[in-house]
Structures are given as structure tokens and as C-alpha cells.
Amino acid sequence: MSIVDWINPFNKVADIVSEVVEDKDARNRLNHELESLKQQVYIVELNTKTVPWIDAVHKMGRQLISVTSLIAGVVLVYVNPEVDPLTLGAILGPGGIYNAVKGKGK
């Protein structure tokens, strides 16, 4: 389960329903209602108007962060070869964190 799936409130509620509700029919009914709500929210998200340039930056986010941090790391090592590893990690870290949260390219 990725971090994004764990944050999703529908998954949290479904887990609570599975643990708390003992009646199988009631549990199935609640899970069905949760799935229909989840799909309704998804449809509303699809119909939401967006700003094209923000969408483009968001879709290129992984590449922009990775390239920017890589260039900054190379420049830092070139300017100061005795750079502190923690500083270099702080520069290269955001790309790795973004990839960990986002997961594989979806």
C-alpha cells in the first residue's frame, strides 16, 4: 500500500468498518456505499476545471525536481569538493522523497 492509499479517507473508513461491524450484510452494504461515494468523488475530480500550465508543471514535477537537484548537487561538488554529505543529501533528497510518495510513474 502506498502512502497516498494510506492517506485516502475512504480506505481508512473501510478499514474501520471491517474491524467494527460484525454483521456481514451490514458490512457489505456499508462497503458498497463507500465505493459509490468514492466513485462520485472521482467523477467530480475529473470534471473539475484546471489551469493548463499548473497541470504541466505538476506532470513534469518528478523530472523538474530530479534534474534541478542533480544540477545543484553537481555544481556544489564542483565549487566545493569537500562538501558535507548532509548538505548534498539535503539537495538530492527532495527528488527521492517525491518518488517515494508518488510511487512508480502512474
Side-chain angles (χ1 to χ4, degrees):
M1 177 184 287
S2 72
I3 293 174
V4 177
D5 290 337
W6 183 76
I7 293 173
N8 188 343
F10 291 107
N11 293 342
K12 288 181 181 179
V13 173
D15 291 341
I16 293 171
V17 166
S18 298
E19 292 175 7
V20 175
V21 179
E22 294 179 4
D23 183 20
K24 188 176 180 180
D25 292 333
R27 185 180 329 131
N28 289 339
R29 183 175 43 80
L30 288 172
N31 283 333
H32 177 70
E33 290 177 13
L34 280 172
E35 280 298 318
S36 67
L37 283 173
K38 190 178 190 181
Q39 295 213 355
Q40 289 173 4
V41 168
Y42 181 69
I43 289 171
V44 169
E45 288 175 353
L46 286 177
N47 292 330
T48 302
K49 301 287 183 196
T50 59
V51 181
W53 69 269
I54 292 177
D55 288 341
V57 170
H58 179 260
K59 288 184 180 186
M60 293 295 296
R62 182 182 311 208
Q63 293 85 357
L64 291 173
I65 289 173
S66 296
V67 168
T68 304
S69 63
L70 184 63
I71 290 171
V74 167
V75 168
L76 182 65
V77 170
Y78 181 75
V79 170
N80 182 12
E82 298 172 4
V83 67
D84 181 29
L86 290 176
T87 304
L88 197 56
I91 290 173
L92 298 174
I97 292 170
Y98 185 88
N99 288 329
V101 170
K102 182 77 172 172
K104 290 188 172 182
K106 295 178 182 176

